[in-house]
Amino acid sequence: MTNKNVENDYDVIVVGAGNAALCSAIAAKEQGGNVLVLERAPKEKRGGNSFFTDGAIRAAYGNLDQIREVMPELSDQEAAKTDMPEYTEEDFYEDLMRVTKNESEPDLARTLVSKSFDTIRWMNSHGVEFELNKANQSFVEDGKRIFWGGLPLKTKEKGIGLMRSLFKRAEELGIDVLYEARALDIVQQEGRVSGLKVDVSGEVKTFGAKSVILACGSFEANKEMRKEHIGQEWEAAAVRGTEYNTGDGIDMALKAGAVRFGQWDGCHSIGTDANVPKVGDFNKPGDIFKKHSYPLSIMLNKDGQRFVDEGADFRNYTYAKYGKEVLKQPDHIAYQIYDSKVRPLLRPEYDLEEATFFEADSLEKLADQLSVNKEAFLATIREYNEAVQDGEFNPSVKDGKETKGIEPPKSNWANTIDEGPFYAYPVTCGITFSFGGVHVDTEGHVLDQNEQPIPGLYAAGEMVGGIFYHNYPGGSGLMSGAVYGKIAGTSAGRHVQAVQTI
């Protein structure tokens, strides 16, 4: 649908065009009526943060047979060679509460968990294809592929495939999409949503609507808001995704009577290549700049000091908080250090041409290539090697192979770094999304200061505050966007039906 063919009045308008937004639009369309999607970006940059995702999506499931419901091409032969432990709703809920320090709002968390696999089925019914997350969440032993970590699913072709499928489905359903359309203000009459003011390629227009769904991300791409709410140092963070998530939806919702909710001083951030683009590059999507084998490394800053327990837990449960720790280091840089023993075990992103790294036959020569205090760097590695305890190294489980007598410790996967060649991968901090949002209930309604729904106003995706605090289990953000997108779209469509009967 071109901008010229867009109407003036719609039953439902969705602000945003990522995973949560398009799930909202499709769900609203299922309820009948006409739906408009507003994408602030030009068409060639559509898809929001979802376009950049690696595609891993966390859902509760019972066994491999359930996974095969959305992966019919998985043959009996391959299934027989696949070991996939169940990941129950209680497992998902416990993981979510554990990493958020029990601060995740229980009702929102339970809804996310309980509706996760049904939403996967629903997405699949609308053309989203899934595959096994082999590269990042499994290993082969005695001829069997063994999965771990509760994250065996990912979307085919990562975020590129996900968004291609959702846009295709939206077009098939007759959902209008308007590009270079920045929503400005929610129009209300007698406390009810009645439309939106929108800047369309520099011209301000007003569209009528009975329901509006805000699904246009949080404020991670807004330097001033990051500084104000998360901290001054966050001005320096690279933006991993779209440059257009600048808090527009939050601002509009607050003006319309919504309230802030969730951890406004928190965010999802990771350790990413030190030479990552400052904002997401739509020519290089697929989350190719991350560096997530750090549990097998030790990380040193420019002062030559370690600063986290790299082996505290599986990568799934630490990566979203360790970016913040990298940001705190001098010049916002750290080095992941590996030796030849573990180099073959590193994830695929370490072999890409975009990966920045240094290599040397000795630690002394490696240090000479880095911007570090060489004496401290070598002393830290020497002390670490001396602290490594005996035990069997096994990267597929929390092996308990640890250090003793140093701070911070390394609780698992502690191997000596003593066999050349040696490798250093410089990383910085990349912000994915901020945790602060607005108060939304389990039906997708945006709530006011009295915890009452604002009639006709809904939100999904990153705008839903109160689910993530401090950290998150890998793949749960994409799942949350889809779950609450479907919920918000369904509720918005039903609201239209109710209004029409009055």
Side-chain angles (χ1 to χ4, degrees):
M1 175 64 66
T2 66
N3 288 9
K4 293 179 182 178
N5 301 124
V6 170
E7 301 172 17
N8 290 323
D9 295 299
Y10 287 83
D11 294 311
V12 178
I13 298 179
V14 181
V15 182
N19 170 56
L22 292 192
C23 284
S24 295
I26 292 167
K29 189 67 176 180
E30 287 181 323
Q31 301 300 312
N34 55 352
V35 179
L36 172 66
V37 170
L38 299 177
E39 169 61 288
R40 179 179 165 187
K43 187 173 183 179
E44 65 271 17
K45 290 186 175 183
R46 69 183 185 178
N49 277 352
S50 305
F51 183 78
F52 293 91
T53 179
D54 187 46
I57 187 164
R58 183 175 295 265
Y61 60 90
N63 52 35
L64 182 58
D65 288 340
Q66 194 172 11
I67 295 292
R68 293 181 74 184
E69 292 178 28
V70 296
M71 218 176 293
E73 71 278 8
L74 185 64
S75 69
D76 291 342
Q77 183 179 14
E78 184 176 358
K81 296 180 179 180
T82 301
D83 183 352
M84 186 172 294
E86 68 176 10
Y87 187 69
T88 66
E89 290 183 12
E90 203 56 36
D91 291 332
F92 190 170
Y93 184 78
E94 288 178 1
D95 278 344
L96 179 58
M97 299 308 288
R98 174 172 56 84
V99 301
T100 60
K101 302 180 181 179
N102 289 310
E103 291 186 47
S104 184
E105 202 285 319
D107 289 340
L108 293 175
R110 283 287 184 194
T111 299
L112 165 59
V113 168
S114 66
K115 294 186 179 296
S116 60
F117 203 82
D118 282 344
T119 304
I120 293 287
R121 289 191 184 102
W122 177 82
M123 295 170 75
N124 187 237
S125 75
H126 284 289
V128 176
E129 295 183 296
F130 297 94
E131 63 185 2
L132 293 177
N133 192 9
K134 294 179 181 179
N136 298 333
Q137 295 293 147
S138 73
F139 62 96
V140 176
E141 184 175 271
D142 298 328
K144 290 202 90 172
R145 181 169 293 279
I146 301 171
F147 283 84
W148 57 273
L151 195 54
L153 276 175
K154 67 183 301 184
T155 55
K156 277 191 177 180
E157 295 186 72
K158 305 182 178 181
I160 305 166
L162 168 65
M163 296 316 301
R164 183 192 303 124
S165 297
L166 290 175
F167 275 110
K168 179 183 178 184
R169 186 56 175 155
E171 183 176 353
E172 290 171 347
L173 293 172
I175 295 169
D176 292 349
V177 181
L178 186 59
Y179 297 101
E180 297 181 66
R182 184 176 187 175
L184 302 174
D185 281 301
I186 297 164
V187 179
Q188 293 171 288
Q189 292 181 352
E190 299 179 354
R192 290 180 174 273
V193 167
S194 61
L196 267 179
K197 286 185 178 179
V198 184
D199 182 332
V200 183
S201 302
E203 181 183 355
V204 176
K205 298 182 178 181
T206 299
F207 293 89
K210 300 177 181 70
S211 293
V212 168
I213 304 170
L214 300 173
C216 48
S218 192
F219 58 83
E220 59 272 4
N222 186 321
K223 282 187 180 182
E224 293 305 315
M225 289 187 74
R226 292 202 309 264
K227 286 165 58 179
E228 178 183 356
H229 298 293
I230 311 178
Q232 288 289 325
E233 68 273 19
W234 287 91
E235 182 179 12
V239 176
R240 299 178 64 216
T242 179
E243 65 205 86
Y244 297 101
N245 286 6
T246 56
D248 289 1
I250 290 176
D251 288 343
M252 286 187 290
L254 295 177
K255 289 179 185 176
V259 293
R260 293 178 180 176
F261 198 64
Q263 189 189 15
W264 272 66
D265 62 351
C267 66
H268 177 297
S269 63
I270 71 164
T272 189
D273 194 288
N275 290 315
V276 66
K278 288 301 181 184
V279 297
D281 185 344
F282 280 81
N283 294 314
K284 292 187 176 182
D287 202 11
I288 62 175
F289 294 99
K290 66 187 176 186
K291 294 291 178 287
H292 281 179
S293 287
Y294 63 85
L296 305 183
S297 79
I298 57 172
M299 289 195 287
L300 281 69
N301 61 23
K302 287 189 170 184
D303 293 335
Q305 304 298 321
R306 290 175 59 241
F307 53 92
V308 294
D309 178 351
E310 302 90 348
D313 205 336
F314 287 122
R315 159 263 173 203
N316 291 351
Y317 305 115
T318 59
Y319 79 100
K321 66 178 182 178
Y322 276 1
K324 175 176 67 174
E325 300 306 320
V326 172
L327 190 68
K328 294 177 182 177
Q329 306 313 308
D331 296 329
H332 318 298
I333 292 290
Y335 296 96
Q336 297 177 4
I337 307 299
Y338 305 92
D339 73 359
S340 61
K341 295 195 299 293
V342 299
R343 177 61 186 85
L345 303 177
L346 303 192
R347 290 161 53 106
E349 65 258 26
Y350 289 80
D351 297 320
L352 298 176
E353 65 178 348
E354 290 82 6
T356 305
F357 72 97
F358 302 89
E359 178 182 351
D361 292 332
S362 70
L363 288 168
E364 289 78 9
K365 291 180 180 178
L366 185 67
D368 287 338
Q369 298 181 61
L370 310 179
S371 299
V372 296
N373 179 320
K374 181 177 179 179
E375 183 177 348
F377 176 88
L378 296 174
T380 295
I381 297 176
R382 182 170 59 250
E383 292 166 2
Y384 164 80
N385 284 342
E386 292 171 353
V388 171
Q389 302 299 293
D390 292 336
E392 183 178 352
F393 170 73
N394 185 347
S396 65
V397 298
K398 288 197 282 187
D399 61 8
K401 193 173 188 315
E402 61 181 350
T403 60
K404 292 286 189 182
I406 59 171
E407 287 293 333
K410 187 171 184 184
S411 301
N412 294 283
W413 312 297
N415 262 333
T416 53
I417 298 175
D418 54 10
E419 293 185 15
F422 301 91
Y423 304 86
Y425 289 81
V427 293
T428 188
C429 174
I431 185 170
T432 315
F433 66 94
S434 40
F435 291 153
V438 297
H439 199 179
V440 176
D441 68 14
T442 57
E443 296 300 318
H445 303 99
V446 175
L447 304 180
D448 64 18
Q449 61 183 356
N450 298 316
E451 299 190 359
Q452 296 301 307
I454 298 171
L457 188 59
Y458 304 84
E462 296 171 8
M463 284 200 54
V464 179
I467 298 178
F468 304 120
Y469 291 79
H470 313 294
N471 192 5
Y472 95 159
S476 53
L478 200 60
M479 190 76 261
S480 178
V483 166
Y484 280 99
K486 181 176 182 292
I487 287 172
T490 302
S491 294
R494 289 174 178 169
H495 174 75
V496 170
Q497 295 171 353
V499 169
Q500 288 174 340
T501 61
I502 295 175

